[in-house]
Amino acid sequence: LESNVFVPTDGTTLAVARTAGQSTRALIAAAAGEQKALMVSGLTTVPAGSRLDYTIVVPNGTLFRVGSASGLGSTTQLPPFAVTGTHAVVFAADTTTTQSAFKVGLLAGVALPVDGGAVDLALANPGEAARLNIAGVAGQNLGLGITGLVLSPTSAAYAIIAVHKPDAGLLASISCRVDGTQCAANLTNLPVTGTYSIIVQPASGATGSLQAWLSRDATGALASGTSLRLTLARPGQNARLTFPG
């Protein structure tokens, strides 16, 4: 079934419901160089656990991206759009699926400043994710910290935090647990200058909230026979020390 409905970019979602053999075509208003993440949430299928595939093409019909969603939903960081114009995205459940329903949206993200205050994130609906943006500079050494992770239901013990390079390639990934362990990532020697994206996806489609921090590495110089006192005052912050040799 074709649709002239555009996928929202304002934080809302487009609801879709289909029966066996039906696919859905929606539209993306793209601008060259723009970066977005495609979020599929609230996914339900009959039988349960079926996969939802999607294909995105540019205005001339050339393939831009393929992907899939499973569970209650998945979010994929897209590479920058190469051209300005209306892109089409087609969603199709696998051949065993007799019914499917889901929501789709495009995440623009919110800025996570270096050495700024924590950014609060809330994930209110099952299967949803959140996106943060970092203005990265080639050669920077940064530390990402996650605090206050709370998930519902409590059986969802972690959230996946994936950091993507400006071309959407994966830079780092951690599974931050609600007990506070494994909740920091060392972003060493950023390869290029540009917008880096962080996708926060709770396990098992859970809802919840958290705080994100981004810090420059604390630096210092070590001298033989002399101690050096360092203070790491921010969650996820690293220390980077030099010494003669």
Side-chain angles (χ1 to χ4, degrees), residues 34 51 59 76 104-105 126 128 170 172 177 187 224 238:
E34 192 176 42
R51 188 184 72 247
T76 302
V104 60
E128 286 188 347
L170 185 65
R177 307 192 70 83
L187 310 181
S224 178
N238 306 301

Side-chain angles (χ1 to χ4, degrees), residues 141-145 185-187 213-217 235-238:
N141 297 301
L142 304 174
L144 171 67
N186 187 11
L187 310 181
W213 306 74
L214 187 66
S215 309
R216 290 183 178 86
D217 288 0
Q237 188 175 27
N238 306 301

Side-chain angles (χ1 to χ4, degrees), residues 44-51 99:
T44 59
T45 62
V46 179
S50 297
R51 188 184 72 247
Q99 295 181 29

